[in-house]
Amino acid sequence: MPTLILVRHGRSTANTEGLLAGWTPGVALDERGRTQAAALPQRLAELPLAEIVSSPLQRCQETLQPLLDARPGLTVHTDERIGECHYGDWSGRKLAELMDEPLMQVVQAHPSAAAFPGGESMRAMQTRAAEAVREWNARVERDHGADAVYLMCSHGDIIKSLVADALGLHLDLFQRISVDPCSITAIRYTRLRPFLVRLGDTGDFASLAPRETPPADDAPVGGGAGAP
């Protein structure tokens, strides 16, 4: 079965403003995000990508544009199932404000029981994304062979949930996984089991350096903004 390259979108204006974007329209890459996207073609230069699949949201489409410009033979397929979690009434709100919501404790410690008001549950988010990957695996293998490599550009919580699925981790453990903006995660699928071969690789270790303000103990909902 194919190898899946998961790319989280580059840093967005919502990331830098501390907003939970969700499906809010008009959320674009910021300057750093555009720089990250511009570097993506070189980072992936040695990979013969068979297909490219994207979330329909603007920040993912913008992240992929330099790669598509570099590989004019490829087109992008849009799949809503790998779009961001539907955060409902939380969408567009400040993350700092949401930390006081009782539901945030559930999101952090028991996400399989978390359902966003006016939105979807985290369990439903993982299910739709995993179903999309399995269908694309079958399609890519059918059209390009079992050794094919293809790419999906998606969002932090989606990618974390797919990594948990690949590792056989309960969704309640997925907040232990971290994927920075424009990071690359690779999962090689086989008939019997998936293998996680890269996780959140940015090629940049700046995010590991000590910070003036230590990172919070809780996981950043939506994925976080990466290194300062």
Side-chain angles (χ1 to χ4, degrees), residues 70-135:
R71 303 197 189 195
L74 286 174
T75 56
V76 61
H77 306 274
T78 299
D79 193 325
E80 291 196 357
R81 295 174 296 176
I82 62 167
E84 181 62 285
C85 185
H86 291 277
Y87 297 116
D89 297 344
W90 281 25
S91 299
R93 291 181 60 188
K94 286 277 190 181
L95 285 164
E97 297 173 359
L98 293 171
M99 296 307 294
D100 295 329
E101 295 280 353
L103 178 60
M104 182 60 84
Q105 293 181 326
V106 182
V107 170
Q108 292 292 329
H110 191 18
S112 65
F116 296 98
E120 69 179 334
S121 69
M122 302 199 87
R123 192 173 59 254
M125 172 199 75
Q126 183 187 44
T127 297
R128 63 172 165 87
E131 287 178 350
V133 166
R134 281 161 175 76
E135 288 183 20

Side-chain angles (χ1 to χ4, degrees), residues 104-165:
M104 182 60 84
Q105 293 181 326
V106 182
V107 170
Q108 292 292 329
H110 191 18
S112 65
F116 296 98
E120 69 179 334
S121 69
M122 302 199 87
R123 192 173 59 254
M125 172 199 75
Q126 183 187 44
T127 297
R128 63 172 165 87
E131 287 178 350
V133 166
R134 281 161 175 76
E135 288 183 20
W136 276 101
N137 281 349
R139 176 173 172 175
V140 169
E141 181 172 6
R142 181 197 67 205
D143 295 345
H144 303 283
D147 294 329
V149 179
Y150 75 107
L151 182 148
M152 283 185 169
C153 186
S154 188
H155 307 266
D157 281 348
I158 295 288
I159 294 172
K160 288 163 56 178
S161 74
L162 290 172
V163 170
D165 175 76

